[in-house]
Amino acid sequence: MIEKPYHVPERLGLLSGAAADPFLTEDLLRGVQGHGGVDLAKVVEPLPEDDARWEAEPLRDLVDDAMFQFKDNRTDADGWLAPRLHAALRLTRREAADKRIWNHLALAVAPDYVAWRHPATAPEGRNPRINPARFKGAPDRQCFSRLWWAAEMFRNGADYTPVVKACSNQDLIHNALRLSLVDHRPTAQALVRILERGIATTGREINGLITAINTAGATLIYDAFAEDEPRDPGALRQWIAEAESAPPVPRHDLPTGPDEEPVPEASVEKLTEHFANLFETAPVRGRVPQD
């Protein structure tokens, strides 16, 4: 198992994909040995020093706590870490879209967490390896960006409770993050309701439902069908501005997100019913058609 880097940076930085490549060594991907971190620090672009958001220690403490608390069930760490990562690392969507910050978090601050959460696997007869995309990959695959975006898309205003439920189904967050549909807040909340009510719960069922939803309409159509309140950019700006004075994110209770209006309940219920009806004829592999 990869150990914590000998040199953990004090602050987050920007690590380009090209600069990250030499550190994705075979030993790292096999989960045998990481790197000291000193050489990696030489190729990192610094972030502004007057911004408290870039302190690495709070994030390092979170992943340490996650590894300890969920050592017997690593998948469950997603639902715990996603809202806390989002609340600790208060980003705009523009900032979160920059892959360089996630490359740095994964390779410089917490490569041992990446290896712990996504251990090396391989088909029979081949050497096990960690998927490099867990360190440096698309937002729905990279170890930390997938959690941050899941929290961003599935939170209901300041309430992270739906995020925990969404993260309990790996197929939901993987497929939803690849679609523009969940950028429509009532759609995201309706998908969580479908899970909560046991309408679709398995990976195959969720995949079939999302395929049916994506086929039946686009974000624009669902936006007209189930209206949402526009996000208040001032609430997000205020939440980010308070990062310097914010206490550490709680471990036993959920943190509080930006003080935005919650999703209109009527829109969530309307879409939940609509999605439940779609699921009845959704293409679920292995499901026996009903007469």
Side-chain angles (χ1 to χ4, degrees):
M1 175 59 70
I2 296 173
E3 296 182 353
K4 177 180 177 179
Y6 176 75
H7 172 79
V8 176
E10 292 183 1
R11 301 178 65 78
L12 290 180
L14 302 176
L15 179 65
S16 70
D21 283 339
F23 299 94
L24 290 170
T25 64
E26 194 61 26
D27 279 349
L28 176 69
L29 296 179
R30 287 169 51 209
V32 174
Q33 183 176 355
H35 55 82
V38 176
D39 290 337
L40 188 149
K42 299 175 183 177
V43 296
V44 174
E45 180 181 339
L47 286 162
E49 292 189 2
D50 60 350
D51 195 329
R53 293 181 298 159
W54 311 134
E55 294 180 3
E57 185 178 1
L59 304 178
R60 183 65 232 189
D61 288 345
L62 278 176
V63 300
D64 284 338
D65 289 349
M67 286 190 287
F68 176 79
Q69 184 172 341
F70 297 97
K71 56 182 178 292
D72 296 327
N73 194 336
R74 302 178 186 191
T75 304
D76 286 353
D78 287 356
W80 185 88
L81 184 57
R84 291 168 175 85
L85 174 65
H86 187 274
L89 189 53
R90 301 186 179 194
L91 303 175
T92 65
R93 290 191 177 189
R94 181 186 294 274
E95 290 169 332
D98 190 339
K99 294 181 181 179
R100 295 176 298 170
I101 196 169
W102 304 117
N103 295 344
H104 188 246
L105 178 55
L107 277 165
V109 178
D112 52 324
Y113 181 85
V114 179
W116 175 86
R117 174 60 186 85
H118 303 284
T121 59
E124 187 175 352
R126 304 185 68 175
N127 292 326
R129 295 173 87 246
I130 301 169
N131 185 343
R134 299 302 187 182
F135 291 98
K136 188 197 78 167
D140 63 303
R141 287 296 186 185
Q142 205 272 354
C143 179
F144 295 109
S145 68
R146 65 190 285 271
L147 298 180
W148 191 95
W149 281 106
E152 172 66 9
M153 295 301 188
F154 287 102
R155 65 182 174 88
N156 189 1
D159 184 10
Y160 286 114
T161 305
V163 177
V164 179
K165 187 62 181 181
C167 287
S168 69
N169 189 292
Q170 298 294 301
D171 291 274
L172 175 60
I173 57 174
H174 172 60
N175 285 291
L177 292 182
R178 292 187 295 132
L179 302 173
S180 61
L181 288 171
V182 292
D183 201 28
H184 179 235
R185 298 196 306 160
T187 295
Q189 296 306 311
L191 286 170
V192 173
R193 295 280 174 90
I194 291 289
L195 273 180
E196 289 176 335
R197 296 176 184 180
I199 296 170
T201 56
T202 68
R204 289 183 178 182
E205 290 173 344
I206 291 296
N207 291 338
L209 174 60
I210 290 180
T211 298
I213 292 171
N214 200 38
T215 301
T219 303
L220 182 62
I221 297 174
Y222 288 130
D223 190 38
F225 178 71
E227 294 183 357
D228 188 14
E229 295 290 337
R231 291 179 183 267
D232 177 10
L236 178 63
R237 286 195 295 266
Q238 180 65 28
W239 188 65
I240 291 174
E242 293 170 351
E244 185 170 4
S245 59
V249 295
R251 269 39 176 185
H252 301 292
D253 299 317
L254 284 174
T256 302
D259 188 20
E260 298 173 347
E261 288 294 322
V263 181
E265 180 62 23
S267 294
V268 178
E269 281 299 318
K270 190 174 184 180
L271 272 181
T272 302
E273 182 179 355
H274 179 62
F275 292 165
N277 292 333
L278 283 178
F279 179 67
E280 293 181 3
T281 56
V284 177
R285 186 161 57 93
R287 181 165 69 177
V288 178
Q290 300 295 317
D291 294 332

